[in-house]
Amino acid sequence: MSVIEVRELRKSYGGRPVVDGVSFAVEEGEIFGILGPNGAGKTTTVECVEGLRVPDAGRVRVAGLDPVDDHDEVTRILGAQLQQSELQPKLTVREALQLYASFHPDAADWRPLAERLGLAPKLSTRFAKLSGGQRQRLFIALALVGRPRIVVLDELTTGLDPRARRDTWELIEDVRAGGVTVLLVTHFMEEAQRLCDRIAVIDKGRLAALDTPAGLIRRSAGATVISFTPSAPLDDHDLAGLPAVASVEHRDGRITLSGTDETVNAVITLLARHRVTAHQLRVVDATLDDAFLDLTDDRAGEATA
């Protein structure tokens, strides 16, 4: 069941299209990621989902509700951690948590949430005195304190150190396990690959791809990279003819091939047939970084054209 529906969403500023016909649906209970370069239209898209911006055209529904026309109802079921937020400088962490909890008839106990996010020692600290990472953790807590059915997290772990980032990932996985749908905007590929069930890649305001992390990686120009130094020369025709080979490169006597798992097996068979030893053999799987660059690299598009 789709809990968020976006159909042909369009939004322009000063006549320049920022979101240009984006469509996707988020299923209930999944962690759905949105990736894209800076300025691709990611934040504008989720702000339309949150009801913070009015689309120029298209349809957006959150649990069947219009985020603009039914804004009050949507805010009761949707929590949001925005990319940029501020609070009153003199408000303490405790006061902020108590205030936001008071907005909801069935708010979560904010104390365990503060503990989980490492905010317990800072409860008496004023907002103005918090570091960037501490502010980020506070806004995550404020997004979750109302027990939302859906939570939108825009740049979830920006400013957090590696330990705090991984602790936050575990919290989000627990939140999803409790039945909450998560819409996650991020530029951390490791974060998206770890957390997301599916990912929409937005580039220049348009949907470039929509798939699981593994599916996006399989789309990469070379899902697997094999490199080795052969003990004897190999014929380029034989190498280029291997199954699923995307490219063959020679450098300083070393051969590098891009392909798939099928290519790896074929390379090993070729080496055995010619009785060639592969010195310093390396097999490296492509990552979400590789897939993302393939999908959003202008140079790749120009080369294809």
Side-chain angles (χ1 to χ4, degrees), residues 7 52 84 98 128 136 146 151 156 172 174 182 189 207 292 300:
R7 293 287 178 266
L52 299 178
Q84 293 182 329
Q98 289 174 335
Q136 187 77 346
V151 64
L156 170 67
I172 299 308
D174 289 347
V182 179
M189 298 298 144
L207 188 69
F292 177 78

Side-chain angles (χ1 to χ4, degrees), residues 155-158 165 169 184-196:
E155 301 297 357
L156 170 67
T157 57
T158 296
R165 180 173 295 127
W169 292 349
L184 173 68
V185 180
T186 182
H187 66 270
F188 289 115
M189 298 298 144
E190 184 185 3
E191 181 168 283
Q193 191 165 347
R194 157 86 180 254
L195 292 178
C196 297

Side-chain angles (χ1 to χ4, degrees), residues 89-287:
K90 294 184 178 181
L91 200 67
T92 67
V93 171
R94 178 185 288 104
E95 289 168 342
L97 289 165
Q98 289 174 335
L99 176 64
Y100 273 65
S102 72
F103 297 154
H104 303 279
D106 184 32
D109 184 347
W110 55 264
R111 295 167 187 82
L113 195 57
E115 186 73 35
R116 184 73 184 271
L117 285 164
L119 293 170
K122 297 293 181 179
L123 291 178
S124 299
T125 303
R126 298 186 188 278
F127 180 78
K129 298 295 185 180
L130 297 176
S131 68
Q134 289 163 352
R135 292 184 183 192
Q136 187 77 346
R137 282 178 278 170
L138 174 58
F139 287 124
I140 294 169
L142 298 180
L144 296 172
V145 75
R147 298 185 193 270
R149 178 180 170 188
I150 305 157
V151 64
V152 179
L153 303 168
D154 194 348
E155 301 297 357
L156 170 67
T157 57
T158 296
L160 301 186
D161 60 52
R163 169 55 60 192
R165 180 173 295 127
R166 291 183 181 276
D167 289 346
T168 303
W169 292 349
E170 291 178 5
L171 171 63
I172 299 308
E173 289 170 334
D174 289 347
V175 166
R176 191 270 291 276
V180 177
T181 301
V182 179
L183 180 57
L184 173 68
V185 180
T186 182
H187 66 270
F188 289 115
M189 298 298 144
E190 184 185 3
E191 181 168 283
Q193 191 165 347
R194 157 86 180 254
L195 292 178
C196 297
D197 299 298
R198 291 187 300 141
I199 295 171
V201 180
I202 296 178
D203 188 28
K204 300 181 183 69
R206 297 184 177 182
L207 188 69
L210 174 57
D211 208 334
T212 64
L216 291 175
I217 291 169
R218 284 195 296 270
R219 297 187 190 195
S220 180
T224 302
V225 177
I226 311 110
S227 62
F228 59 93
T229 302
S231 60
L234 291 170
D235 189 281
D236 274 354
H237 180 74
D238 289 340
L239 292 169
L242 293 174
V245 165
S247 66
V248 179
E249 295 181 5
H250 295 266
R251 180 174 295 179
D252 299 327
R254 192 164 180 81
I255 297 173
T256 301
L257 302 97
S258 296
T260 67
D261 287 343
E262 187 181 4
T263 312
V264 177
N265 295 330
V267 167
I268 293 170
T269 300
L270 177 68
L271 291 168
R273 186 167 67 245
H274 291 280
R275 298 183 179 181
V276 172
T277 301
H279 297 293
Q280 297 179 317
L281 176 65
R282 300 284 186 272
V283 179
V284 180
D285 288 333
T287 65

Side-chain angles (χ1 to χ4, degrees), residues 71-101:
H71 190 69
D72 289 346
E73 291 90 337
V74 169
T75 57
R76 295 189 186 104
I77 61 171
L78 185 146
Q81 170 253 323
L82 306 179
Q83 189 179 64
Q84 293 182 329
S85 301
E86 289 291 333
L87 293 174
Q88 288 293 329
K90 294 184 178 181
L91 200 67
T92 67
V93 171
R94 178 185 288 104
E95 289 168 342
L97 289 165
Q98 289 174 335
L99 176 64
Y100 273 65

